[in-house]
């Protein structure tokens, strides 16, 4: 990896150091723009991270042209994990901001193999229906911002 120096680098960032080969990782896959490696505090066996090689702190800062390479790599790795470990399911998740649980501020997607009833993360929101007047207002608020972008 050290042979592919990347221009956008943050000196303090642990994932930039991994990209540069300055600290080790259990590499799964790399191409010119993306890298996948094992999470060293795995939430389940096979828990893998997919990152852009360039430093972008979060989704808000991610250039549009990296979306497709990151999702392509994530899909390839998820397929390989599914074949290697035979999980019952796989989550992709991604945190932006400390309040959302982000601890490393270099964009990353978690690829998380799941077993039935493992309780690793919960997507069960109790099936409470939303209030449609509130939903309509929220949709309008987002559309108004999008229209200005
Ligand atoms: P997040 O909480 O979404 O920011 O996820 C950061 C993830 O990076 C956590 O799941 C950590 O376990 C993982 N992590 C932190 N340092 C390393 C490292 N040196 N190598 C691999 N994974 C790491
Ligand atoms: Zn970085």
């Amino acid at each position: 990896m050290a042979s592919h120096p990347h221009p956008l680098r943050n000196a303090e960032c642990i994932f930039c150091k991994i990209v540069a080969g300055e600290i080790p990782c259990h590499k799964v896959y790399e191409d010119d723009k993306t890298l996948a490696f094992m999470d060293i505090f795995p939430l389940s066996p096979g828990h893998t991270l997919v990152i852009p090689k360039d430093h972008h702190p979060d989704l808000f800062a991610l250039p549009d042209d990296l979306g497709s390479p990151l999702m392509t790599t994530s899909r390839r790795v998820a397929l390989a994990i599914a074949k290697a470990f035979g999980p019952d399911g796989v989550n992709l998740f991604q945190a932006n901001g400390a309040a959302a649980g982000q601890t490393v501020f270099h964009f990353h997607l978690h690829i998380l193999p799941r077993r039935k009833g493992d309780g690793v993360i919960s997507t069960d929101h109790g099936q409470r229906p939303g209030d449609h007047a509130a939903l309509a207002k929220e949709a309008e608020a987002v559309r108004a911002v999008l229209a200005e972008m």
Side-chain angles (χ1 to χ4, degrees):
M1 278 175 284
S3 58
H4 296 285
H6 264 254
L8 270 180
R9 154 167 196 163
N10 177 301
E12 275 90 56
C13 173
I14 191 154
F15 287 176
C16 283
K17 287 179 184 163
I18 287 176
V19 170
E22 293 165 11
I23 62 169
C25 73
H26 298 283
K27 184 170 80 176
V28 167
Y29 174 82
E30 77 173 308
D31 56 28
D32 56 333
K33 294 186 180 128
T34 69
L35 172 68
F37 54 96
M38 306 310 291
D39 193 308
I40 49 165
F41 298 94
L43 292 171
S44 68
H47 182 177
T48 303
L49 300 173
V50 174
I51 68 169
K53 287 185 168 176
D54 279 343
H55 182 84
H56 303 289
D58 54 28
L59 182 66
F60 306 119
L62 192 71
D64 281 343
D65 66 358
L66 282 178
S68 182
L70 284 164
M71 192 51 70
T72 299
T73 295
S74 296
R75 181 172 176 277
R76 283 177 73 91
V77 170
L79 282 166
I81 286 173
K83 200 162 183 187
F85 304 114
D88 298 320
V90 175
N91 282 120
L92 288 195
F93 77 87
Q94 192 274 315
N96 301 286
Q102 187 175 12
T103 59
V104 177
F105 291 84
H106 180 131
F107 179 94
H108 52 281
L109 280 152
H110 295 259
I111 308 208
L112 189 58
R114 299 293 303 275
R115 292 281 177 202
K116 272 190 197 105
D118 64 11
V120 167
I121 56 172
S122 177
T123 47
D124 177 6
H125 53 68
Q127 307 246 318
R128 287 182 300 277
D131 169 54
H132 284 272
L135 295 175
K137 272 192 186 166
E138 290 165 12
E140 177 50 35
V142 179
R143 283 197 301 267
V145 176
L146 284 170
E148 300 296 318
M149 285 167 71

